[in-house]
Amino acid sequence: FSNQKIYVPCSSVHTYRTSKGWNEYANIIDSNEPNCQVESFKARFYDANNNLIGELQRTYDANGTNITSAETKPYASSAYRVELGDAFTRIQGEAFKDFKHITNLSIGNNVIFVNSNFVSGCTALQTLEFPNVYEECFSENLISNCSSLKKITIPSGTTEIYRNSINNCRSLQSITILKPNGVLSFRDS
């Protein structure tokens, strides 16, 4: 049944896609309401004193939305913590490149795709956990030059990992793979 289309009101698409049990269905789509707009979301950026220094806010459609490096760059030199709202479904390449002070990056629960070098040169980043619903592979050069990174948690939805997806992270102590059935493939570039 997971390939069947389920039509729900536009305003409920996000709720169904993220609810336990319902999120197993790949084709939860809006019921063709014109100009379907779903809830508002935010990406928040905080300074060293945990003060909010900026946020990105927009309304997204039923398919979710991206965050790009052009949007995040103004905060690269001053952000110590970043929270991505659950509405983000894709993180584009280099979105958090050279965020030198960031120690904590909270990724929303609905991210299904992260592009190469999304965290690169984040020298203060210590822990990186992906949401359990992440379904794509760990692509080439996904995480690189994060010299303080100690722990990475790879979510259960990950099906393959490129051998060079994690590069030059000298302090890395553990990689936890939450794959329940243990089936995971490794790819060469």
Side-chain angles (χ1 to χ4, degrees):
F1 290 110
S2 64
N3 291 328
Q4 299 297 317
K5 290 182 181 176
I6 299 175
Y7 293 93
V8 299
C10 177
S11 60
S12 301
V13 170
H14 179 70
T15 302
Y16 277 92
R17 286 185 179 172
T18 59
S19 297
K20 193 168 184 85
W22 288 102
N23 62 1
E24 296 174 11
Y25 291 89
N27 292 315
I28 297 174
I29 56 179
D30 72 83
S31 56
N32 297 320
E33 294 178 25
N35 302 318
C36 180
Q37 295 284 311
V38 187
E39 67 196 61
S40 178
F41 69 92
K42 294 180 181 177
R44 292 187 175 109
F45 300 85
Y46 299 88
D47 68 11
N49 296 316
N50 211 28
N51 296 314
L52 182 66
I53 57 172
E55 62 185 16
L56 304 173
Q57 182 173 0
R58 66 176 88 95
T59 303
Y60 72 103
D61 66 24
N63 295 316
T65 192
N66 298 327
I67 188 166
T68 66
S69 60
E71 294 173 303
T72 61
K73 273 304 169 224
Y75 306 103
S77 64
S78 56
Y80 281 71
R81 183 168 65 94
V82 177
E83 294 175 352
L84 294 182
D86 284 347
F88 286 104
T89 56
R90 304 173 76 78
I91 301 174
Q92 296 302 316
E94 301 185 355
F96 298 100
K97 183 178 181 181
D98 296 328
F99 272 62
K100 301 284 186 205
H101 305 294
I102 192 173
T103 58
N104 184 338
L105 174 60
S106 174
I107 300 172
N109 288 320
N110 297 320
V111 171
I112 59 169
F113 178 80
V114 178
N115 211 338
S116 295
N117 289 312
F118 99 99
V119 287
S120 174
C122 298
T123 55
L125 185 64
Q126 295 182 10
T127 302
L128 185 58
E129 294 184 32
F130 291 87
N132 274 333
V133 295
Y134 186 83
E135 296 174 3
E136 301 283 334
C137 72
F138 263 49
S139 63
E140 294 181 85
N141 299 312
L142 188 68
I143 303 161
S144 61
N145 301 313
C146 296
S147 56
S148 298
L149 187 61
K150 295 178 181 163
K151 178 182 175 186
I152 298 173
T153 301
I154 298 174
S156 60
T158 304
T159 57
E160 64 182 0
I161 299 174
Y162 277 86
R163 292 190 192 279
N164 64 348
S165 62
I166 302 167
N167 288 307
N168 201 21
C169 297
R170 297 183 303 268
S171 299
L172 192 59
Q173 297 171 357
S174 72
I175 298 175
T176 303
I177 302 173
L178 300 176
K179 189 73 178 165
N181 60 7
V183 178
L184 185 66
S185 67
F186 290 90
R187 285 181 62 170
D188 292 319
S189 10

